Amino acid sequence: MKLSIIGLGKLGSPMAAVMAHKGNQVVGVDLNPAFVKAIQEGRPPVNEPGLAEMIQANRERLTATESYEEAILATDVTFIIVPTPSDPDGRFSMRYVLSAAEKIGAALKKKTEWHLVVLSSTVMPGSVGGILQPALEKHSGKKCGPDFGLCYNPEFIALGSVIRDMLRPDMILIGESDERSGAILEALYSQTCESNPRIQRMNYVNAELTKLSVNTFVTTKISYANMLAQVCDTLPGADVDVVTTAIGCDSRIGQKYLKGALGYGGPCFPRDNVAFSALARANGVPALLAEATDALNKRQVPRLADAILARMPKGGTVGILGLSYKPNTEVIEESQGVGLASHLLAQGVRVAVYDPEAMTNARALLSGAEFASSAADCARKADVVAITTAWDEFKRLTSSDFKAGATVLDCWRILPREALGDLTVLYLGSGLTEASPVAAGY
Ligand SMILES: NC(=O)c1ccc[n+]([C@@H]2O[C@H](COP(=O)([O-])OP(=O)(O)OC[C@H]3O[C@@H](n4cnc5c(N)ncnc54)[C@H](O)[C@@H]3O)[C@@H](O)[C@H]2O)c1
């Protein structure tokens, strides 16, 4: 197929590469000339594993332009993957989507053939039918259905594995204006996906609600595991990993996202959960579960800070290993490591930080922190070291990397007790005591 993709960011550029890789002719569009130039020169506009290689290998089918008109006139299907930032009330803003719709509409006006427009950005339920479709009709002077089709097709991907997740999804979600539009998108995904995903076709509003509900459900699961970890910390002999591994064996529950540790972060989970609550509240429905999930998540940083401060010598330094919101990404939005560092700095505590990839992004937010040159450099400066992101390179730290007499607070339980000699080692979710079951090897 001939596809245009509006927005070449963290989601749009991997989507462009995957679609070209599967034999489609793809034209990318972005307001940012540097992103357009990157694609034109065969480079990735953003960091994502496998993206550089995939763009390079598919240059003949992948181009980019700053001109909407050029892209839309040359293609049959246009994906919109622009930001939908959260407003202060937690709802997603449509301002970038509407700005894109205006330009798409103007280009559609000049086109005689039928065209399919697909929105992939996360939006509030009611937005596609109530806001986007009227905007496209107004700016194009055309009618949705006979003149162009419209689908809502959000992606379920995780940063760090976007390409894999796009090639091997569990499910493809399609909210469609009409049968023809949904069928085109279904055909595209049948040819793109390697996992034979379940294709769920429905109206716009069900698809919009499904997208938000998936992330709200997953965040509920994470907060449940964190609540369990907190209980385990108070029960001598309890170990959250032992408990979650066992309960995850029940097929009604499952193992995924059931790890008691720190709160969830990143660009999607926190705000999708809050948006769900905002939607329910606005419609007069109590969103107690989603609100409790969010409240539990916000308690993780203060809880960790208290555990650290209780073990800090006066005037000591806290080392924080991990600033990205999860391993293998430079993204720091809503990251627990950055949240912890900010919380401690605000209390006048000396903080040293290190992350393999997120240092540049974190510098602007943590001006009072000392940025170490390596994990061991950070560990050596600190009296209490918290491991806040489970990066592989942290798993190799041993007692000689730490200051003598330091306390290590391993939030993800990645360091074997035997590698840490006579240091005090505390495992979150496992008693927060040195004589924990993990430490004893049970
Ligand atoms: N990043 C994720 O993990 C993820 C996962 C699922 C859903 N989403 C959703 O996907 C959407 C995009 O997210 P992202 O992370 O790719 O954002 P991003 O900020 O990384 O990229 C968005 C891109 O759109 C461009 N852009 C903005 N307005 C434009 C316009 N009018 N015309 C052309 N280009 C424009 C920006 O320059 C930027 O390059 C959001 O709604 C987000 O909630 C993101």
Side-chain angles (χ1 to χ4, degrees):
M1 290 188 194
K2 290 182 181 155
L3 313 174
S4 37
I5 296 187
I6 313 291
L8 296 169
K10 295 185 286 296
L11 209 51
S13 55
M15 166 84 133
V18 164
M19 289 298 175
H21 169 70
K22 287 291 171 177
N24 301 292
Q25 206 65 44
V26 181
V27 186
V29 179
D30 204 290
L31 296 180
N32 182 344
F35 281 19
V36 170
K37 189 158 182 266
I39 294 283
Q40 287 169 342
E41 292 174 357
R43 291 182 287 108
V46 297
N47 283 333
E48 182 60 38
L51 181 60
E53 297 79 355
M54 196 172 256
I55 289 176
Q56 192 50 239
N58 293 286
R59 287 189 71 175
E60 72 208 50
R61 282 183 300 278
L62 179 54
T63 59
T65 170
E66 288 177 57
S67 160
Y68 272 69
E69 193 175 308
E70 185 186 326
I72 283 158
L73 293 183
T75 58
D76 307 312
V77 181
T78 297
F79 286 84
I80 308 173
I81 318 186
V82 298
T84 46
S86 300
D87 280 337
D89 64 358
R91 300 168 67 86
F92 302 120
S93 163
M94 288 288 281
R95 62 181 187 272
Y96 295 99
V97 175
L98 284 177
S99 144
E102 186 175 341
K103 294 178 199 152
I104 293 169
L108 288 180
K109 208 175 220 162
K110 304 197 171 153
K111 198 166 174 177
T112 47
E113 300 87 6
W114 192 88
H115 194 93
L116 176 60
V117 180
V118 182
L119 178 67
S120 293
S121 305
T122 309
V123 296
M124 296 307 291
S127 304
V128 177
I131 302 174
L132 178 58
Q133 184 176 313
L136 286 169
E137 289 182 332
K138 177 177 156 206
H139 295 295
S140 65
K142 294 186 170 186
K143 196 96 198 95
C144 181
D147 304 325
F148 68 90
L150 179 59
C151 286
Y152 181 55
N153 171 228
E155 295 285 341
F156 298 92
I157 54 89
L159 294 181
S161 59
V162 178
I163 289 183
R164 185 225 156 263
D165 296 345
M166 282 180 173
L167 289 171
R168 306 197 57 78
D170 291 340
M171 188 248 297
I172 294 293
L173 180 60
I174 300 176
E176 60 197 45
S177 56
D178 56 282
E179 158 66 28
R180 175 185 184 183
S181 303
I184 292 174
L185 212 47
E186 178 168 355
L188 176 66
Y189 281 111
S190 303
Q191 167 236 323
T192 312
C193 299
E194 297 169 356
S195 53
N196 196 20
R198 293 167 81 159
I199 297 191
Q200 298 291 299
R201 289 172 57 182
M202 55 192 75
N203 65 19
Y204 300 144
V205 76
N206 283 323
E208 291 164 324
L209 190 56
T210 301
K211 164 64 182 168
L212 275 193
S213 302
V214 167
N215 281 354
T216 305
F217 194 92
V218 174
T219 53
T220 305
K221 216 173 160 186
I222 296 170
S223 278
Y224 184 88
N226 287 340
M227 176 182 74
L228 205 53
Q230 202 169 344
V231 172
C232 288
D233 276 332
T234 66
L235 278 179
D239 177 348
V240 70
D241 285 333
V242 173
V243 179
T244 53
T245 301
I247 65 177
C249 292
D250 187 317
S251 62
R252 292 171 301 176
I253 298 173
Q255 305 282 358
K256 287 185 178 171
Y257 290 87
L258 195 64
K259 176 128 184 127
L262 296 180
Y264 54 81
C268 291
F269 279 162
R271 68 194 204 101
D272 285 7
N273 176 280
V274 169
F276 183 94
S277 300
L279 168 77
R281 261 197 319 274
N283 292 359
V285 180
L288 300 179
L289 197 53
E291 283 166 10
T293 295
D294 183 50
L296 273 164
N297 204 52
K298 292 197 169 108
R299 280 173 62 168
Q300 301 309 311
V301 162
R303 160 169 129 81
L304 181 57
D306 288 348
I308 290 169
L309 293 176
R311 288 154 177 101
M312 266 271 288
K314 207 168 163 33
T317 297
V318 176
I320 297 177
L321 291 176
L323 299 172
S324 59
Y325 83 95
K326 63 175 187 178
N328 307 318
T329 176
E330 64 198 356
V331 176
I332 59 165
E333 273 170 272
E334 304 274 337
S335 109
Q336 297 283 294
V338 170
L340 176 65
S342 308
H343 185 94
L344 293 171
L345 287 166
Q347 295 186 44
V349 178
R350 284 160 57 137
V351 174
V353 297
Y354 176 74
D355 188 282
E357 288 186 20
M359 300 285 262
T360 307
N361 287 343
R363 269 179 213 279
L365 293 182
L366 302 176
S367 53
E370 187 175 347
F371 283 76
S373 58
S374 65
D377 182 40
C378 181
R380 262 193 298 275
K381 291 179 195 298
D383 301 285
V384 181
V385 178
I387 300 178
T388 43
T389 313
W391 282 98
D392 274 347
E393 76 168 72
F394 299 161
K395 295 177 186 167
R396 294 189 285 273
L397 290 167
T398 62
S399 53
S400 61
D401 294 315
F402 293 84
K403 190 173 177 176
T407 297
V408 182
L409 214 162
D410 182 353
C411 303
W412 292 93
R413 302 173 295 281
I414 57 174
L415 289 176
R417 181 67 192 86
E418 55 277 14
L420 296 172
D422 54 9
L423 296 175
T424 303
V425 186
L426 308 163
Y427 293 97
L428 197 74
S430 182
L432 278 186
T433 64
E434 206 177 354
S436 69
V438 171
Y442 287 112

